Amino acid sequence: MTLTDLPLFPLQSVLFPLGRLSLRIFEARYLDLMSRCLVADRPFGVVCLQQGSEVRQAGQTVRFEPVGVLARLLSADSDQPGVLKAVCLGGARFRWQTLSEQANGLWVATQAEQLPDDPHLPLAAAHQPAAQALARALALLAAREGHSSGPMHLDDTAWVANRWCELLPIPLAARQKLMELPDPAARMDLVDRFLRDKQLLQG
């Protein structure tokens, strides 16, 4: 599926499909973007920065990873003038092909290809310890932050792998490569190996 004129939100982080992303937005270009996405009920693209910063700086060079994830707004509110707090949900992955920078500094993928969703694969028996450890980690995180962790899909290979990829202390470039992997079983194998190497799993 081809996407055209997809507005981009570059971050020094990686969004995964079905991952939740909290944003604190104060730049005019992104406040306008969120307003337009809310009105039109359309997604925007989250891409990881290879070079440059999230806040626009005159004369800086920015480079983006070639694959990002579509994001839809779940909620948006403001508790102070000029600042928007938004919560977004990750959707399909995409690969941008051509980019354009608008006059206000907003980047747009003038052409992008939506990539296939991860297939649903039942979690292998060997990865059950990783799923159980994930459930405990998400419950602790939800209790600490004072909100529900949301529905869990502990029987789905991609969901378990993706949630671990969000939590693990790994370099940003490695997180990006894991997100790009088209095979959720391979992603899960890498995650499981990391957890066992760090002695975070038993059994």
Side-chain angles (χ1 to χ4, degrees):
M1 177 179 177
T2 299
L3 306 169
T4 57
D5 297 329
L6 175 68
L8 300 180
F9 201 117
L11 293 171
Q12 290 173 330
S13 62
V14 178
L15 179 63
F16 281 77
L18 296 183
R20 290 188 178 232
L21 174 68
S22 296
L23 296 172
R24 185 175 181 272
I25 303 162
F26 54 88
E27 288 191 78
R29 55 179 170 165
Y30 294 129
L31 290 171
D32 179 61
L33 167 61
M34 294 300 137
S35 175
R36 287 189 280 117
C37 287
L38 274 172
V39 170
D41 189 27
R42 65 170 295 185
F44 58 95
V46 173
V47 288
C48 182
L49 282 159
Q50 290 181 337
Q51 182 180 349
S53 63
E54 295 175 356
V55 179
R56 186 180 185 186
Q57 298 177 11
Q60 79 166 346
T61 299
V62 294
R63 289 195 302 141
F64 309 137
E65 293 285 358
V67 176
V69 168
L70 298 176
R72 284 194 178 274
L73 282 166
L74 294 178
S75 65
D77 61 73
S78 178
D79 56 10
Q80 64 184 99
V83 178
L84 183 71
K85 292 182 178 179
V87 177
C88 312
L89 181 67
R93 291 168 297 187
F94 67 91
R95 183 184 300 276
W96 59 262
Q97 289 153 348
T98 54
L99 297 177
S100 174
E101 185 180 13
Q102 298 183 341
N104 63 356
L106 183 71
W107 285 91
V108 172
T110 51
Q111 188 171 8
E113 176 193 3
Q114 184 171 318
L115 302 176
D117 292 334
D118 284 325
H120 174 70
L121 292 177
L123 193 71
H127 296 148
Q128 289 297 331
Q132 294 163 8
L134 176 64
R136 293 192 295 269
L138 291 177
L140 287 171
L141 189 62
R144 188 177 69 192
E145 296 184 353
H147 61 74
S148 170
S149 60
M152 296 189 188
H153 304 279
L154 298 174
D155 61 343
D156 185 85
T157 298
W159 192 90
V160 173
N162 289 349
R163 302 295 76 78
W164 267 125
C165 288
E166 294 164 348
L167 295 174
L168 291 177
I170 56 178
L172 202 56
R175 205 184 307 274
Q176 173 72 25
K177 294 303 180 187
L178 285 165
M179 183 271 286
E180 292 180 16
L181 272 178
D183 181 0
R187 197 180 314 137
M188 188 67 233
D189 284 341
L190 291 169
V191 166
D192 192 82
R193 190 180 312 160
F194 181 92
L195 292 169
R196 293 184 187 278
D197 287 347
K198 299 298 182 183
Q199 298 183 337
L200 298 174
L201 284 185
Q202 296 180 351

